[in-house]
Amino acid sequence: MNFIDLHVHSTASDGTLTPTQIVTCAAEAGLSAIALTDHDTTAGVAEALKAAEARNRRGLSTPRVIPGAELSCIWHHREKETEIHILGLFLPCENTTLKAFLTEMMEARKKRNDEILRRLSADGICISHSDLVGENPDTVITRAHFATALIKKGYASNIDQVFKKYLNSGGKYCPPKEAAEPERAVRLILECGGFPVLAHPMRYHLSWKEIEELTALLAKAGLMGLEVYYSSHTKEQSQRLRTLGRRFGLLSTGGSDFHGAKKPDIHIGTGYGGLRVPKTLLDDIESALRQKQ
Ligand code: AMP
Ligand code: MN
Ligand code: MN
Ligand code: MN
């Protein structure tokens, strides 16, 4: 059977492999397709497509590269704010509406990041731009970049500690990021011809009732997929999500959320070891997109 991975990060955001290395890694894992889904950017897609083309020309087995992104949104519900991630698959990277949306997200990120730097330096903790980006000047700077820099400078000994102490959103050093409502991200992806998916529904600390409410809300906005298969999902959770998705006419998608050495236990295609995403899911996604046109 052919297997795929529709949720992968590169150095264009907080993954540690370049888009070219991602393509090699996916080929070595025997995958037939991957979606590059960096946080709030499609900047790594062109390099990944080029790497795949180069491998094809050399007659090497090569995964197909699906252009994508993972958009960070905030869902306001019952006086609560929950960060929700919407995956966009088959994104047209040159689309002007998409580009304007991503620029807006980047500006909100920069504002939040500058404020983290300001608050840290007010307490005598100096982090430079190069501490954050390392050898990737064009990377989207996430809290994961701050985490690595703070650990390297000895302010915390591990990732859990650094997030608790410095990077907790809404905490002393990290103001909440301004972000779009998830319905807006769904509509945007849909309008530009992409396939909108609710990412990792079990990771938001929501009750099952809230997950159902969110799914209903997003389905109304045009959501087409639910990330049913995911590294940390149990079989029971995947089964329950698949049933939920069917109720709202959503297709199942699946991916590992591979980040390279940032999340060393998660492997491309197989997650913690038990994940397998069949290529038939991708065939269903493509036929749904064709029907929409
Ligand atoms: P941002 O989008 O800038 O808010 O950063 C979010 C990124 O930080 C996520 O994609 C994760 O890679 C990482 N992250 C967030 N919370 C944690 C946590 N508690 N432990 C480890 N990594 C985290
Ligand atoms: Mn990440
Ligand atoms: Mn996510
Ligand atoms: Mn992700």
Side-chain angles (χ1 to χ4, degrees):
M1 208 203 293
N2 278 323
F3 296 106
I4 61 174
D5 189 333
L6 299 179
H7 190 157
V8 174
H9 295 268
S10 75
T11 48
S13 67
D14 57 350
T16 57
L17 300 190
T18 63
T20 304
Q21 289 169 330
I22 291 284
V23 172
T24 310
C25 179
E28 282 167 357
L31 298 178
S32 62
I34 54 155
L36 194 65
T37 54
D38 277 302
H39 297 290
D40 306 338
T41 187
T42 57
V45 168
E47 182 188 320
L49 289 170
K50 217 170 121 197
E53 259 173 51
R55 285 184 65 91
N56 273 324
R57 270 200 306 276
R58 289 164 62 203
L60 299 169
S61 76
T62 305
R64 182 171 163 211
V65 173
I66 316 287
E70 181 175 20
L71 308 182
S72 314
C73 304
I74 306 274
W75 180 35
H76 292 88
H77 59 120
R78 299 210 185 97
E79 281 143 56
K80 277 208 284 182
E81 286 187 7
T82 306
E83 183 168 333
I84 300 292
H85 290 177
I86 302 292
L87 292 167
L89 303 177
F90 291 96
L91 291 181
C93 301
E94 295 310 316
N95 182 286
T96 47
T97 315
L98 175 66
K99 279 183 167 175
F101 187 79
L102 295 178
T103 303
E104 194 186 301
M105 297 186 89
M106 235 27 87
E107 280 160 6
R109 222 172 235 293
K110 181 166 185 325
K111 201 166 138 196
R112 197 260 336 238
N113 290 350
D114 287 348
E115 183 59 18
I116 299 177
L117 287 173
R118 197 191 65 73
R119 292 185 188 186
L120 286 172
S121 88
D123 268 1
I125 302 172
C126 292
I127 304 285
S128 70
H129 184 74
S130 81
D131 290 333
L132 293 173
V133 300
E135 289 165 10
N136 302 304
D138 298 327
T139 188
V140 170
I141 301 173
T142 68
R143 281 180 293 155
H145 294 79
F146 280 93
T148 306
L150 285 163
I151 291 171
K152 210 163 168 187
K153 288 188 171 260
Y155 290 107
S157 55
N158 62 55
I159 195 103
D160 284 343
Q161 202 186 66
V162 81
F163 268 91
K164 275 208 187 91
K165 206 164 159 196
Y166 298 103
L167 299 170
N168 173 29
S169 181
K172 180 177 177 194
Y173 295 99
C174 180
K177 183 158 43 82
E178 287 166 24
E181 292 287 331
E183 304 95 295
R184 188 170 157 226
V186 165
R187 280 194 291 267
L188 179 278
I189 293 165
L190 205 60
E191 270 165 35
C192 69
F195 186 90
V197 178
L198 173 60
H200 46 63
M202 308 309 297
R203 277 193 48 192
Y204 305 123
H205 307 291
L206 296 172
S207 66
W208 186 256
K209 191 164 169 283
E210 287 171 317
I211 294 175
E212 286 184 341
E213 278 170 18
L214 176 64
T215 307
L217 177 79
L218 297 182
K220 212 169 146 202
L223 190 75
M224 297 178 79
L226 201 58
E227 196 173 40
V228 164
Y229 306 101
Y230 185 73
S231 292
S232 59
H233 287 174
T234 63
K235 272 207 168 65
E236 290 71 28
Q237 286 172 334
S238 293
Q239 180 63 48
R240 201 167 176 188
L241 287 169
R242 198 158 64 116
T243 308
L244 174 68
R246 283 191 177 155
R247 250 174 60 202
F248 291 98
L250 306 176
L251 293 178
S252 299
T253 78
S256 65
D257 214 352
F258 179 73
H259 280 67
K262 273 259 166 62
K263 297 186 180 176
D265 299 337
I266 296 180
H267 300 278
I268 202 161
T270 54
Y272 294 110
L275 181 74
R276 285 286 184 286
V277 185
K279 184 184 165 287
T280 48
L281 297 189
L282 184 59
D283 301 334
D284 293 344
I285 290 170
E286 287 195 278
S287 55
L289 279 176
R290 272 194 301 271
Q291 276 169 29
K292 190 164 73 81
Q293 281 164 3

